[in-house]
């Protein structure tokens, strides 16, 4: 009976110590300073250095330029000095990418005027898209359009091919309205035309560089209150050293009669450590959220690469003579259905072999480089030796 009491009291002591240890781990995980978990809306919002939530975390928790705010709609916002307010979708501390978007749903519009001067961020990887404003007749069921930059009479088309933009501007009634650097996400691999400009904007930062630190399970933070130097705090090692010490003390305290129980408890401690380690890595790791919206899914399924130049060159190309007879089946319009402008004598025309649809050579060449199918019947010319599907997008 005495023995049992002895064992129970030690057991209780051990459990209390363990509980204390487990509880103290999460708070020690945010650098040497105790930066409180912020709240936005009803949910706790885990913000780590170099970001900080203003009004909720002290200055020392964040680096200049990385202030986040919880707005009146309970959304986390990032304010860029020259480009205004964006909503924050996700922060990847490992890759140092913050994923933001326009509150009103037109990130493409925000990209047109994006100016990152005075902020610690840059866009990467990037592609220069030229925006064309075209009459709707020209785009309907032919081009993917940027819906939030279009209205009932004019559609906005975005292309990464400057020559196609020039061609359209020269030949059709489209007008170049600007160009923008699009941060190309992993879903935006395609060349040419895109309707995907309205996706989230991926901003990266180089300084402070905490990539190695975070990857190794550490946490970046200021070394002291002068906020001059940033260092990596090895939270996992500190934690396990502390835990090991406690383990030794507890084991000694339990002495011989409790060895059996100690063994059992060590087993559980190990399990708990694993859960602590998981907790830490889960909190430091970037949630691998690539928001798969319906828009994204469509983009992926329509990701058919264009044709190679040699394939395109193998299709018949003719110079229109005085008779203006097209080398197709003869039932074509007198207009090129890509740029909607009429054929003229001496225009270079190229026809797709299978369907015999003909277009201005300049127009169809550019089109096939981007899309790989006939703009009229959507048939993919065969054999398409270079036709590949992007299947590595997961
Ligand atoms: C992007 O392309 C446009 C042409 O459409 C060009 O005028 C502009 O200078 C390019 N931007 C950069 C930064 O190269
Ligand atoms: C549509 O947008 C164009 C410019 O892109 C503008 O000139 C035109 O007035 C707009 N039309 C309507 C109906 O809003
Ligand atoms: C567009 O027109 C200009 C001048 O008319 C010309 O210099 C340029 O080469 C043309 N570009 C294309 C792609 O046809
Ligand atoms: C704070 O850190 C900086 C840089 O590491 C150092 O120069 C400075 O002496 C430190 N100040 C205090 C009060 O420890």
């Amino acid at each position: 009976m005495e023995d049992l009491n002895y064992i129970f009291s030690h057991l209780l002591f051990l459990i209390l110590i363990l509980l204390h240890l487990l509880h103290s781990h999460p708070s020690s995980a945010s650098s040497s300073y105790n930066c409180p978990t912020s709240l936005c809306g009803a949910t706790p919002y885990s913000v780590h250095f170099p970001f900080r939530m203003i009004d909720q975390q002290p200055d020392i928790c964040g680096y200049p330029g990385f202030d986040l705010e919880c707005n009146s709609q309970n959304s986390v916002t990032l304010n860029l000095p020259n480009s205004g307010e964006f909503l924050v979708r996700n922060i990847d501390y490992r890759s140092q990418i913050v994923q933001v978007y326009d509150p009103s749903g037109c990130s493409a519009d925000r990209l047109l005027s994006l100016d990152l001067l005075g902020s610690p961020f840059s866009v990467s990887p990037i592609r220069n898209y030229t925006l064309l404003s075209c009459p709707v007749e020209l785009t309907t069921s032919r081009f993917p359009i940027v819906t939030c930059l279009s209205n009932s009479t004019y559609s906005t088309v975005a292309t990464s091919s400057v020559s196609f933009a020039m061609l359209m501007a020269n030949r059709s009634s489209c007008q170049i309205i600007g160009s923008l650097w699009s941060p190309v996400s992993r879903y935006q691999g395609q060349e040419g035309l895109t309707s995907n400009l309205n996706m989230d904007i991926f901003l990266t930062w180089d300084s402070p560089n905490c990539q190695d630190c975070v990857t190794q399970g550490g946490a970046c933070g200021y070394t002291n209150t002068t906020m001059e130097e940033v260092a990596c705090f090895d939270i996992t090692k500190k934690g396990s050293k502390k835990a090991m010490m406690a383990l030794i003390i507890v084991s000694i305290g339990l002495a011989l009669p409790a060895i059996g129980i100690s063994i059992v408890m060590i087993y559980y401690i190990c399990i708990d450590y694993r859960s602590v380690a998981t907790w830490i890595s889960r909190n430091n790791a970037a949630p691998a959220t690539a928001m798969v919206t319906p828009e994204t899914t469509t983009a992926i399924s329509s990701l058919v690469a264009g044709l190679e130049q040699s394939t395109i060159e193998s299709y018949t190309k003719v110079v229109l003579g005085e008779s203006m007879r097209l080398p197709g089946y003869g039932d074509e319009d007198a207009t090129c259905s890509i740029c909607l402008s009429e054929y003229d004598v001496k225009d270079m025309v190229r026809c797709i072999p299978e369907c015999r649809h003909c277009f201005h050579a300049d127009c169809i060449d550019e089109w096939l480089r981007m899309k790989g199918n006939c703009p009229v019947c959507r048939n993919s010319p065969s054999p398409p030796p270079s036709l590949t599907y992007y299947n590595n997008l997961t």
Side-chain angles (χ1 to χ4, degrees), residues 293-371:
T293 59
E295 197 186 357
T296 324
T297 325
T298 335
I300 294 166
S301 59
S302 67
L303 271 186
V304 182
L307 301 181
E308 263 168 31
Q309 190 60 31
S310 57
T311 312
I312 299 171
E313 291 291 351
S314 70
Y315 301 156
T316 324
K317 185 160 100 170
V318 296
V319 180
L320 281 186
E322 296 291 340
S323 69
M324 296 283 289
R325 257 200 82 220
L326 292 172
Y329 282 131
D331 55 350
E332 286 110 330
D333 295 332
T335 55
C336 165
S337 45
I338 296 176
C339 63
L340 295 192
S341 69
E342 290 192 1
Y343 295 115
D344 216 340
V345 176
K346 294 209 179 129
D347 274 356
M348 191 77 84
V349 171
R350 195 194 291 284
C351 304
I352 293 176
E354 267 73 29
C355 57
R356 298 276 199 126
H357 287 127
C358 301
F359 312 89
H360 282 126
D362 289 341
C363 295
I364 191 63
D365 288 8
E366 203 56 56
W367 178 279
L368 290 175
R369 270 195 284 274
M370 293 187 290
K371 310 262 289 185

Side-chain angles (χ1 to χ4, degrees), residues 69 73 110 162 177 188 206 208 220 222 263 267 271 288 325:
E69 205 166 356
Q73 282 89 46
R110 303 293 300 276
V162 175
I177 55 168
Q188 287 175 290
D206 294 328
C220 262
Y222 283 116
I263 289 168
Y267 173 75
I271 285 185
R325 257 200 82 220

Side-chain angles (χ1 to χ4, degrees), residues 163 166-167 170 362:
S163 53
M166 298 270 283
L167 182 85
N170 270 12
D362 289 341

Side-chain angles (χ1 to χ4, degrees), residues 223-224 226 228-229:
T223 49
N224 62 33
T226 60
E228 283 165 9
E229 206 181 335

Side-chain angles (χ1 to χ4, degrees), residues 201-262:
I201 300 169
F202 290 69
L203 302 173
T204 64
W205 70 92
D206 294 328
S207 175
N209 192 341
C210 297
Q211 258 173 323
D212 291 344
C213 178
V214 173
T215 307
Q216 281 153 27
C220 262
Y222 283 116
T223 49
N224 62 33
T225 47
T226 60
M227 292 169 59
E228 283 165 9
E229 206 181 335
V230 174
C232 183
F233 295 89
D234 202 344
I235 46 171
T236 41
K237 252 191 201 147
K238 208 200 278 171
S240 57
K241 248 185 217 157
K242 219 161 120 192
M244 282 309 285
M245 285 285 277
L247 196 73
I248 291 163
I249 293 164
V250 167
S251 301
I252 291 167
L254 275 177
L256 288 175
I259 275 177
I261 292 167
S262 296

Side-chain angles (χ1 to χ4, degrees), residues 128-131 162 165 176 178-181:
N128 188 3
Y129 278 98
T130 304
L131 299 187
V162 175
I176 294 177
S179 64
L180 56 82
W181 285 106

